[in-house]
Amino acid sequence: MDDHRDDHQDGDSRQEGPIRVPRDFDSLRSVIIERKAAMPKRLAQVAAYALGHPDEIAFGTAASIAQAAEVQPSTLVRLAHHLGFDGFSDLQTVFRERLRDRTLSYEERLATLEQGSAADAEDELLTGFITAASQSVARLSAMIDRTVFSQAVELLAGAETIYLVAKRRSYPLTAHMAYAFGKLGIRHQMIASPNGIDAELAGFATPRDAAIAVSFSPYAAESLGQAQALGERGVPIVAITDSAFSPLSGCATHWFEVAEADYGGFRSLSASMALAMALPVAIAEKRRQRGRGGKGGSPGGANRNGTNIPN
């Protein structure tokens, strides 16, 4: 954990000129992602830890966080200054506010909505959710890398079996993809067994297969473990997640960042679902083109239904 030499080489990490100090977690995450390429090694290391373990940042002390992130406590202060904060305690406040917002029960979220100016206006509540959904989809349209999408489709179209990994809030996305793959005649396997044999199901995957893994902060530990185990066995992974510093992005062959808007603390799945709907159809079309060109698809994985699109 000795990073004194790196501290010396990095020098003063304060930014020159006026700094826009992020005061909410989403803004902080965006700023870190924007600056990560230019960050000194140790600052990037602790920034990645912070976005991957936000609860630990909120609850921990400078000493315990530094030990977990494998840096010196002074590096936490330097990161805070680099981002424009007065010190580490000031930066930590953002993580504590995030935790307060995220740990609201559904009853508390409803109570928050009722405190608004239109407590009994169902149409305003509906408008709020529609607006959040629209913002999410617009953000995805502006941010998604079309080249990465094409590369992911190419990879998945060549897989013998596509394994689907997701838990909790992310589960509906893989459930829809499983439905679409079934309709399109694409061999797939959901790693979500009711009888607790997920590890055994994942154990059938080989490098000739591929996986789609989905998880958003706070990340499902089981999904992360399954994705990492698949990656270690050489199975290519396409990930859908919410940060460049997500644990999923680190083990993925290709990954998509999807930042969903929320209304009253309830996060949308609209952008994620749009991506989850596009992937199976694009994979089926890619396989159809290969078959038409005489190249064929993967053994056992070719789409025999042609243009049969699920509805």
Side-chain angles (χ1 to χ4, degrees):
M1 202 171 89
D2 183 7
D3 59 354
H4 286 299
R5 184 176 66 177
D6 289 326
D7 285 348
H8 177 72
Q9 290 174 341
D10 292 342
D12 186 358
S13 60
R14 289 181 179 269
Q15 297 289 313
E16 297 295 333
I19 301 173
R20 176 176 59 87
V21 181
R23 287 298 174 185
D24 62 82
F25 184 76
D26 287 340
S27 298
L28 175 62
R29 180 178 58 190
S30 298
V31 168
I32 290 175
I33 292 171
E34 288 171 6
R35 300 183 187 175
K36 68 171 184 173
M39 281 186 183
K41 177 183 175 182
R42 292 298 183 185
L43 296 195
Q45 179 179 332
V46 74
Y49 179 85
L51 292 189
H53 304 82
D55 291 355
E56 285 81 350
I57 301 297
F59 284 122
T61 64
S64 66
I65 294 167
Q67 182 176 13
E70 300 183 346
V71 298
Q72 294 292 329
S74 60
T75 308
L76 301 178
V77 178
R78 291 173 46 243
L79 175 65
H81 290 163
H82 183 84
L83 297 171
F85 293 91
D86 293 335
F88 177 66
S89 296
D90 191 21
L91 171 61
Q92 195 175 35
T93 300
V94 175
F95 289 87
R96 289 176 174 170
E97 286 297 315
R98 167 203 168 272
L99 190 63
R100 182 187 64 78
D101 293 340
R102 288 291 175 85
T103 55
L104 287 176
S105 68
Y106 275 73
E107 290 77 10
E108 289 171 323
R109 296 177 194 183
L110 290 173
T112 299
L113 291 177
E114 291 171 359
Q115 293 171 5
S117 58
D120 58 348
E122 289 82 1
D123 60 329
E124 181 157 332
L125 187 146
L126 176 61
T127 298
F129 280 106
I130 291 173
T131 299
S134 299
Q135 290 173 345
S136 298
V137 173
R139 189 180 303 167
L140 176 66
S141 179
M143 291 179 58
I144 193 166
D145 189 326
R146 265 65 175 181
T147 300
V148 173
F149 182 80
S150 297
Q151 292 170 344
V153 169
E154 184 77 23
L155 170 66
L156 294 166
E160 291 185 359
T161 301
I162 298 175
Y163 288 79
L164 301 171
V165 179
K167 296 289 185 291
R168 301 201 304 250
R169 190 174 75 95
S170 305
Y171 180 82
L173 303 174
T174 52
H176 179 81
M177 283 190 276
Y179 170 79
F181 284 142
K183 288 288 188 178
L184 292 163
I186 297 173
R187 183 181 295 173
H188 65 283
Q189 175 64 61
M190 290 190 71
I191 305 180
S193 61
N195 54 353
I197 58 169
D198 288 1
E200 288 79 2
L201 291 174
F204 289 110
T206 74
R208 296 193 303 270
D209 303 313
I212 299 175
V214 189
S215 190
F216 306 107
S217 178
Y219 307 103
E222 192 174 356
S223 294
L224 298 181
Q226 290 166 355
Q228 289 164 357
L230 288 168
E232 289 170 0
R233 297 209 314 276
V235 179
I237 297 171
V238 173
I240 301 174
T241 188
D242 56 2
S243 169
F245 291 115
S246 161
L248 270 187
S249 65
C251 65
T253 309
H254 303 294
W255 61 275
F256 300 99
E257 180 181 352
V258 183
E260 299 279 5
D262 74 89
Y263 179 66
F266 296 88
R267 280 178 290 169
S268 169
L269 271 178
S270 303
S272 304
M273 186 59 76
L275 184 56
M277 294 175 70
L279 277 170
V281 177
I283 293 164
E285 179 63 14
K286 177 63 69 174
R287 290 188 172 192
R288 190 175 70 87
Q289 291 172 359
R290 288 178 177 178
R292 189 167 53 202
K295 297 179 181 179
S298 304
N303 172 29
R304 295 182 176 87
N305 289 347
T307 57
N308 177 26
I309 305 300
N311 54 36

